[in-house]
Amino acid sequence: MEQDKLATKKKVIETALTLFKINGYHGTSVRDISKKANVNIATISYYFKGKQGLLEHIIVEFLEGYVEILDKHCLSLYDKNANLILMNLVGEVLNYYFLKKEYASIFYRELTIDSVFIREIMMTYLARERYTFTQIYDAIRMSNAKLTMPFSVFFVQLKSFLSTPYLFPGYLNEVLFIQQN
């Protein structure tokens, strides 16, 4: 019985991911999700309290995994070379984003929209992200006096590197002929 509930919940999430990616959050209705997932509309309300709750669940699940990676690498700063930690962190984040590419695409799309939920996300998860990258940047600067780039430039370039495939998948596919995988 419990496995049936988890399977239904997973099916709703996967269907929402697909429809949100194709039609956008605002272009997808709860009815669309329930029809494609072959579940009752009340099921979505039961598990997620509606479409907004479903979106929040998707984004929070994605960010929890991301922050777990950040925290792990930030904690290892005291044991290892900061440059190596940054390289390992970037590699692990890229792998995580690839494994969760639908989540990443939806997250970055929604991040461009000003809403109370996104502001809350910025104040919690993205503030933790900034903290981690600040710690790594400071450790690199302490071990390498040649790094003269200000943190803001470092951070923007790093975030652009990590998010571009999910912000502009059409551009990468159609203009640059690069596939996300």
Side-chain angles (χ1 to χ4, degrees), residues 53-176:
L54 179 54
L55 175 69
E56 290 174 10
H57 176 86
I58 288 168
I59 289 176
V60 167
E61 182 180 324
F62 171 72
L63 288 172
E64 283 292 325
Y66 176 59
V67 167
E68 188 177 309
I69 294 167
L70 294 176
D71 288 348
K72 178 177 82 173
H73 288 282
C74 191
L75 289 173
S76 67
L77 265 175
Y78 305 103
D79 301 331
K80 299 179 186 167
N81 177 304
N83 291 317
L84 182 61
I85 290 171
L86 180 60
M87 287 175 38
N88 290 338
L89 171 65
V90 167
E92 198 169 332
V93 167
L94 288 172
N95 188 52
Y96 178 73
Y97 279 16
F98 175 74
L99 294 173
K100 297 271 194 178
K101 59 183 157 269
E102 291 84 9
Y103 288 78
S105 292
I106 290 163
F107 167 66
Y108 281 113
R109 181 186 296 168
E110 290 303 312
L111 195 58
T112 65
I113 299 168
D114 187 21
S115 69
V116 172
F117 172 63
I118 292 301
R119 286 177 188 214
E120 290 170 356
I121 290 296
M122 284 194 263
M123 295 305 294
T124 54
Y125 293 101
L126 299 183
R128 287 172 66 187
E129 173 192 61
R130 185 182 191 284
Y131 172 79
T132 298
F133 287 123
T134 301
Q135 297 300 307
I136 292 171
Y137 173 83
D138 289 345
I140 291 170
R141 292 249 354 224
M142 287 173 47
S143 67
N144 182 356
K146 295 178 186 177
L147 180 62
T148 58
M149 172 189 319
F151 173 76
S152 58
V153 174
F154 167 82
F155 188 70
V156 168
Q157 287 181 339
L158 181 58
K159 283 299 294 179
S160 296
F161 173 73
L162 295 172
S163 64
T164 294
Y166 307 98
L167 280 169
F168 308 110
Y171 172 73
L172 293 176
N173 293 340
E174 303 297 325
V175 178
L176 300 177

Side-chain angles (χ1 to χ4, degrees), residues 16-28:
L17 284 167
T18 301
L19 292 175
F20 289 166
K21 187 171 180 186
I22 294 168
N23 304 324
Y25 172 75
H26 295 291
T28 302

